[in-house]
Amino acid sequence: MRFKLRNTFARCALAFGFAPAVFTSSLQADWPQFRGPNAGSVSLDSKLPTKFGGESNANVAWQTKLPGRSVGGAIVIGDQVITTSSSGMDQRRLHLISVNDKDGSIRWQQEFVARGRTNCHPTSAIAAPTPVSDGKYVYAFYSSNDLACVDLDGNLVWYRSLSTDFPKAGNDVGMSSSPIVVDGVCIVQVECQGDSFAAGLSCQDGRILWRTDRPKQSNWASPVAIKLPSGEQVVVMQSSQDLLAVSPKTGKTVWTMDVKCSSIPSAMAAESRLFVPAAGLTVFDLSSAGAVPSKLWDNNKLAANACSPLVVGKRVYTISRTVLASADLFSGELKWQARLPDAKSIWSSPVVAGNNLYIFTEDGKCFVVNLGDEKGEVVETNDLGESVLGSPAISGNALYVRGVSSLWKIAEK
Amino acid sequence: MFAMQSIHSSIAKLKQTALALSIGLGMGVTLQAESSPELIKQLQSLKSNDASNQIATDTIRQLNAANDVTLIQSLTAMKGATPVGRNWLMGLANSLYRKSGKSQTAELNKFLSDATQDGEARYTVFKWLTASNAELRKTLLDGMKQDPSPELRYLAISEAVQAKPDTKELLSLLDSARHAEQVVSIIGVLKEKGTVVDQVKQFGLLTEWKLIGPFDNVGTVNFDKVFPVEADWINGKVKDEYESKLVADGKNVNAKWINESAKSEDGTIDVAALYSNEKGCIVYAATEFDSEKEQDAELRLGCINGNKTWLNGKLVMSNEVYHTDMKIDQYTEPVRLKAGKNQILVKISQNEQKEQWAQRFAFQLRVSDSTGKAILAKGK
C-alpha cells in the first residue's frame, strides 16, 4: 500500500500546478529530481540493505552498463529509472536513458548532440546535472546547456540549445546545476564567467518565460523550490554573492539577501527553515510572513565542501570532506561528528532511509551510518568498485546508484 | 487502382487535418495540416528562439503521431539542417528507430555507406547497426579512418591505435587524425616507438610572437578598454613603446615590444614568465601569418585567461573567462585569410586570483582548416 502512490504524487502535482515544497514525507515512491521529493534526500519508510556489492555482489538486484559517463544522479518515475550520460568524441553525444525498474533492461533511449561547450574536468562529465520529471515529461539538462524534454515513452517534446541563445554560457571545468520544475516552469541556473543567468522555460514548449542575470562567477549549486507561509511557491537560488528568491512563473524577485553562499552544495528547506551552505551552515526562518526571511542561526562547524545538507527529525546533517556532523535543528548546536574512515573524495550528496545515512565516495565506497542521538556509527562500508559522483535515489525499498558508467539497483534479496 | 490510391490519399490527408485540428484546438492555436515532408522541412531550418520553439513543438507532436514519416526521411533531412534543427530531427529519428528501425537494416546500411549524408546522422546509424554486432563494427571502422564524419573518423582511429599498429600505420593514422587530443596521443605512441614527430608543425602552431605589456587591469576592469597599442594596431601603425601599468616598485615603465618564441611542443607562450608573474594586467601578443592564398581557415586558440583575438584589424574572438582550462583548440573561430601576410593580435587578460591553480598566464594559437588539419604559413 505504501508504494501504491508511486508516480501518483507527481501526476497530482502536475494537474494541480504545484511542486513539492517544505514538508518531509516518506510516502512518495517517485524520486523525481536531484535529492528527491522536496530536495530532502530522505525516505524514512524505506528499508534498504546495509550490506551490498563487494565480491559477492550482495543485494545487487541488477547493474546495467550504460554508454559514456555520468556524474549526475538517477530519478525514479513509476517503474522507470531515468538517467543521463555523455559519450563519444568530446562527450558530445548526450543520452537520456530509461531503465526498467524490474530487471534493469533499457526501456528507451533518446540522444542529442551537444551544441554548447564540452570541456570539463576529467573527473566530471557533460552529463552532470540530474534530470527532473513532473510525472508527465522528463527534462534533461547537460553541462553544454542543452535542455531536452521528452515524454515518458522517450518521444521528444521539445529541445533547447541555451548555448546557441547565449553563446558565452559555459564553464570549462563543467557545469552541474540540476534543473527543477515548479508550476509548469522548468528552471535552470546557468552561472559562469560568461553569459550568466537563470531562466524559467515553459514545460509545454520550451519558450523562455523569463531570464534574469546572475553574478558572473562559476557556480555549481542547484535551485530549490520552497513554499512560503502564504502558500506561494518560490525558487531559491544561491551564489557566492547572493541568496535570491524568485517567482517561478515570472522570475520576479521575491526577496534577495547579501549572503555569500557556497557554490557547490545546494540549499534545502525543512521544518519551515531554509538551510543554506553559507558561513558553514546558515539557517533562515520561513515561517514568518515578512518579506525577507530572518536568520535563525549559523555555525561554521557545519561547513560542507560538496555535499548538500539534509534534515532528519530534529537534526541537520552536513559533510565536510570526510567528516559527518549532526547538529540541533533549532539551535545549530553541534551534537556529534563522525569521521568516515579511509574515505576518498566525496561529491555525491547523501541520502537517508530509515535511520541510516548512505554516503558514496568517488572511489565507489558507500558508508552506511546509523544516525543516533549521541553519535553516528558507521555500521557498514560497501564497495561497488565503480566511481560514484552522483547522488543516489530511493524508491520503495530500493536504492538506485548512478555510477560513472553504470546504473545499480540495490535491494534486499 | 488509381481511384483507390486517391481515396487512401484523401483519407490520410483527412486524418492529418483532424489530427492537426485536434492538436490545434487543444493547444489554443490554429495549425495548418501539412504533409510530413513539409513538417520535416520546418525542423531543418530551426533556430533556437521562442518563436522557433513553439513551431517546432507543434511540428514534432504532429510528426510523432504521423504514420507516414520514415526513419530514413528524418535522417536524410539532417543534411543541411541547422545544428538546432539536427537535434530535433535526431529526437524524431530515435523515436522512429524504436518503432521500426530494426526492420530497416538494409536501408540503414545504405544510408551509412553514403558519405555525403550528415555526419551526425551517419554516426547515429553506425551505433544502431553495430550495437550488438562487434564483427560488423570492426569491419566498418576499418574503412572509416578518413571518413568525413568527425565522430566516425575519431572512433575508427581510436580503435586502430588500440590495436597496436606498426610505425608506418601510426604515421598514416596521424595524417588522418584531426582531433587535437588524438593527435597528441598518436605522437606520444610514435615517440615511444622511437619516431619523433614535430608536434608544433603537425598542429600548425604559431611560435614567433612580439609581446608588449603589462597594461593596467587591476580589479579586472579593463578587459574591454581599448589601450593605445590596441587602437594603433587595429589602425595598422604601432609605436615602439607605450606607457605601461604601475609595476611593483611604483614606477611607470614604458612597455616595449619583446620577441618571444614558443619553446614547448604545444606552442605555449608563457606570459607569466615573461612578465614576472604580474597580476591584474593585460599583455598584447602580435604575429603575422603568411598565407599561400586567400582561403577559409580557423583560428584555434588555447588560453587560460581572458582573451580577445583580431585578424587583420577585425575582432574575431572574445572570451572573458579566467582559469577554467587551457588546451589546444579550446576556442575556434572560422575566418577568411587573405593571400600574403595576415596580421594577428591576441589580448591576454590576467586577473588577481590568489589560488595556486589561478596563477597561469599563457596562450597558444594555431591556424587550421575547418576539420582541424594544420594550414602552414608559406615556406614552413
Side-chain angles (χ1 to χ4, degrees), chain A residues 320-360:
Chain A
S320 175
R321 308 227 174 261
T322 59
V323 176
L324 171 67
S326 172
D328 183 84
L329 189 69
F330 303 106
S331 67
E333 180 190 356
L334 182 65
K335 292 297 186 182
W336 53 255
Q337 290 179 306
R339 183 170 295 279
L340 305 172
D342 300 322
K344 303 289 184 195
S345 301
I346 298 174
W347 294 99
S348 160
S349 288
V351 294
V352 167
N355 205 35
N356 288 333
L357 180 141
Y358 292 72
I359 178 71
F360 283 85

XYZ file of all heavy atoms in Angstrom, chain A residues 320-360:
319
model
N 31.680 17.630 5.769
C 32.836 18.415 5.375
C 33.973 17.453 5.077
O 34.486 16.794 5.984
C 33.234 19.377 6.499
O 34.414 20.054 6.142
N 34.322 17.362 3.811
C 35.324 16.405 3.328
C 34.943 14.992 3.769
O 34.073 14.408 3.177
C 36.716 16.793 3.800
C 37.016 18.262 3.439
C 38.374 18.462 2.813
N 38.486 19.858 2.389
C 38.299 20.281 1.153
N 37.991 19.419 0.209
N 38.396 21.560 0.819
N 35.503 14.451 4.851
C 35.143 13.084 5.234
C 34.582 13.030 6.648
O 34.610 11.981 7.287
C 36.368 12.155 5.125
O 37.396 12.657 5.976
C 36.894 12.089 3.712
N 34.075 14.167 7.118
C 33.522 14.198 8.473
C 32.032 14.534 8.415
O 31.633 15.567 7.869
C 34.261 15.235 9.347
C 33.616 15.320 10.727
C 35.733 14.871 9.463
N 31.229 13.638 8.965
C 29.781 13.843 9.049
C 29.464 14.530 10.368
O 29.941 14.103 11.430
C 29.076 12.483 8.969
C 27.573 12.453 9.246
C 26.796 13.204 8.154
C 27.086 10.994 9.318
N 28.675 15.611 10.297
C 28.320 16.355 11.509
C 26.817 16.349 11.698
O 26.042 16.431 10.738
C 28.835 17.790 11.400
N 26.394 16.254 12.964
C 24.981 16.303 13.326
C 24.767 17.476 14.266
O 25.495 17.642 15.245
C 24.578 14.988 14.019
O 23.270 15.085 14.541
N 23.763 18.303 13.968
C 23.502 19.475 14.818
C 22.021 19.601 15.097
O 21.173 19.085 14.346
C 24.024 20.734 14.128
N 21.730 20.299 16.177
C 20.338 20.537 16.546
C 19.693 21.462 15.515
O 20.237 22.516 15.175
C 20.274 21.180 17.935
C 18.848 21.382 18.371
O 18.250 20.432 18.896
O 18.320 22.501 18.142
N 18.530 21.074 15.066
C 17.824 21.813 14.027
C 17.476 23.235 14.466
O 17.473 24.162 13.654
C 16.538 21.045 13.707
C 15.698 21.442 12.526
C 16.419 21.119 11.251
C 14.372 20.670 12.574
N 17.184 23.384 15.744
C 16.638 24.659 16.225
C 17.718 25.617 16.717
O 17.571 26.830 16.600
C 15.622 24.391 17.335
C 14.523 23.476 16.885
C 14.475 22.154 17.304
C 13.560 23.933 16.000
C 13.473 21.305 16.867
C 12.556 23.088 15.551
C 12.514 21.767 15.987
N 18.789 25.065 17.256
C 19.808 25.943 17.829
C 21.104 25.971 17.004
O 21.905 26.895 17.148
C 20.155 25.477 19.242
O 20.802 24.210 19.191
N 21.309 24.955 16.194
C 22.557 24.857 15.468
C 23.683 24.249 16.279
O 24.811 24.118 15.795
N 23.381 23.850 17.499
C 24.416 23.287 18.367
C 24.928 21.964 17.776
O 24.134 21.072 17.447
C 23.853 23.046 19.770
C 24.868 22.458 20.725
C 24.231 22.004 22.036
O 23.020 22.224 22.224
O 24.943 21.403 22.845
N 26.243 21.869 17.671
C 26.854 20.645 17.155
C 26.684 19.525 18.175
O 27.057 19.671 19.340
C 28.338 20.878 16.878
C 29.121 19.701 16.286
C 28.634 19.347 14.888
C 30.615 20.019 16.268
N 26.107 18.409 17.770
C 25.853 17.297 18.696
C 26.935 16.226 18.602
O 27.349 15.673 19.609
C 24.486 16.675 18.394
C 23.307 17.593 18.708
C 23.244 17.908 20.202
C 21.994 18.689 20.540
N 21.944 19.043 21.988
N 27.307 15.886 17.397
C 28.401 14.924 17.249
C 29.004 15.016 15.855
O 28.400 15.555 14.937
C 27.977 13.488 17.558
C 26.771 12.929 16.846
C 25.530 12.729 17.387
C 26.700 12.450 15.480
N 24.675 12.192 16.452
C 25.371 11.996 15.280
C 27.595 12.361 14.437
C 24.928 11.464 14.063
C 27.165 11.846 13.208
C 25.841 11.395 13.046
N 30.201 14.480 15.736
C 30.866 14.346 14.444
C 31.350 12.914 14.302
O 31.726 12.287 15.298
C 32.059 15.297 14.340
C 31.662 16.766 14.228
C 32.865 17.673 14.144
O 33.740 17.620 15.001
N 32.902 18.515 13.134
N 31.333 12.428 13.081
C 31.815 11.060 12.831
C 32.709 11.082 11.597
O 32.303 11.589 10.553
C 30.639 10.108 12.615
N 33.903 10.574 11.760
C 34.813 10.511 10.614
C 34.518 9.250 9.807
O 34.294 8.174 10.374
C 36.265 10.518 11.097
C 37.286 10.523 9.960
C 38.689 10.773 10.487
N 38.825 12.096 11.067
C 39.023 13.218 10.360
N 39.081 13.151 9.032
N 39.144 14.376 10.959
N 34.498 9.410 8.493
C 34.310 8.261 7.615
C 35.694 7.694 7.335
O 36.493 8.321 6.639
C 33.610 8.687 6.326
C 32.273 9.425 6.545
C 31.737 9.979 5.241
C 31.258 8.502 7.201
N 36.006 6.531 7.857
C 37.377 6.037 7.818
C 37.860 5.749 6.394
O 37.164 5.111 5.615
C 37.325 4.755 8.660
C 35.896 4.359 8.679
C 35.096 5.602 8.530
N 39.057 6.240 6.091
C 39.698 5.992 4.794
C 38.844 6.419 3.600
O 38.940 5.829 2.516
C 40.061 4.501 4.649
C 41.026 4.070 5.737
O 41.904 4.874 6.084
O 40.873 2.937 6.231
N 38.015 7.401 3.819
C 37.171 7.859 2.706
C 37.980 8.736 1.757
O 38.804 9.532 2.186
C 35.976 8.636 3.235
N 37.738 8.566 0.465
C 38.360 9.429 -0.542
C 37.423 10.605 -0.806
O 36.509 10.866 -0.045
C 38.616 8.638 -1.827
C 39.468 7.409 -1.620
C 40.909 7.756 -1.313
C 41.752 6.493 -1.202
N 43.049 6.755 -0.578
N 37.630 11.269 -1.897
C 36.806 12.431 -2.227
C 35.322 12.077 -2.253
O 34.931 11.014 -2.730
C 37.183 12.963 -3.607
O 38.527 13.310 -3.637
N 34.515 12.991 -1.740
C 33.068 12.797 -1.749
C 32.429 13.955 -2.511
O 32.589 15.112 -2.147
C 32.502 12.730 -0.317
C 33.092 11.532 0.430
C 30.976 12.650 -0.344
C 32.694 11.463 1.892
N 31.711 13.633 -3.588
C 30.973 14.630 -4.369
C 29.474 14.385 -4.306
O 28.676 15.275 -4.556
C 31.435 14.600 -5.839
C 32.848 15.046 -5.998
C 33.944 14.260 -6.137
C 33.325 16.398 -6.001
N 35.077 15.030 -6.226
C 34.723 16.350 -6.158
C 32.712 17.649 -5.894
C 35.522 17.498 -6.204
C 33.506 18.785 -5.945
C 34.880 18.704 -6.098
N 29.097 13.167 -4.007
C 27.691 12.758 -4.015
C 27.010 13.179 -2.723
O 27.521 12.908 -1.629
C 27.666 11.235 -4.174
O 26.449 10.700 -3.758
N 25.869 13.840 -2.816
C 25.118 14.190 -1.600
C 24.510 12.925 -1.002
O 24.042 12.045 -1.733
C 24.018 15.202 -1.911
O 24.589 16.470 -2.169
N 24.482 12.831 0.328
C 23.986 11.601 0.960
C 22.459 11.517 0.929
O 21.786 12.519 0.681
C 24.484 11.733 2.401
C 24.536 13.217 2.630
C 24.917 13.827 1.307
N 21.954 10.307 1.202
C 20.508 10.110 1.377
C 20.294 9.328 2.670
O 21.212 8.681 3.192
C 19.871 9.343 0.191
C 19.942 10.173 -1.077
C 20.543 7.986 -0.015
N 19.068 9.414 3.165
C 18.726 8.700 4.401
C 17.516 7.820 4.157
O 16.515 8.260 3.575
C 18.439 9.698 5.547
C 17.779 8.980 6.728
C 19.732 10.370 6.000
N 17.609 6.561 4.596
C 16.473 5.639 4.610
C 16.379 5.090 6.026
O 17.389 4.642 6.584
C 16.679 4.510 3.612
N 15.171 5.118 6.592
C 15.046 4.713 7.993
C 15.913 5.610 8.844
O 15.835 6.839 8.761
N 16.779 5.006 9.601
C 17.666 5.806 10.439
C 19.122 5.681 9.993
O 20.035 5.948 10.763
C 17.531 5.369 11.902
C 17.909 6.502 12.849
O 17.645 7.670 12.549
N 18.527 6.166 13.960
N 19.297 5.275 8.742
C 20.651 5.106 8.213
C 20.942 6.107 7.100
O 20.112 6.321 6.204
C 20.849 3.689 7.656
C 20.936 2.651 8.766
O 21.347 2.958 9.888
N 20.520 1.439 8.457
N 22.117 6.675 7.166
C 22.574 7.588 6.113
C 23.520 6.829 5.184
O 24.404 6.106 5.647
C 23.278 8.793 6.745
C 23.833 9.857 5.803
C 23.591 11.255 6.402
C 25.318 9.661 5.536
N 23.303 7.010 3.873
C 24.131 6.357 2.852
C 24.923 7.433 2.131
O 24.343 8.342 1.532
C 23.246 5.604 1.847
C 22.538 4.407 2.445
C 21.477 4.577 3.337
C 22.931 3.112 2.126
C 20.828 3.487 3.905
C 22.286 2.007 2.678
C 21.241 2.207 3.566
O 20.603 1.130 4.130
N 26.251 7.305 2.185
C 27.087 8.300 1.522
C 28.138 7.605 0.656
O 28.876 6.730 1.138
C 27.750 9.265 2.546
C 28.647 10.266 1.850
C 28.517 8.530 3.633
C 27.911 11.301 1.058
N 28.166 7.976 -0.619
C 29.080 7.343 -1.571
C 30.309 8.214 -1.793
O 30.232 9.437 -1.817
C 28.383 7.108 -2.915
C 27.466 5.929 -2.895
C 26.162 6.070 -2.441
C 27.896 4.682 -3.311
C 25.295 4.977 -2.410
C 27.047 3.582 -3.279
C 25.746 3.730 -2.824
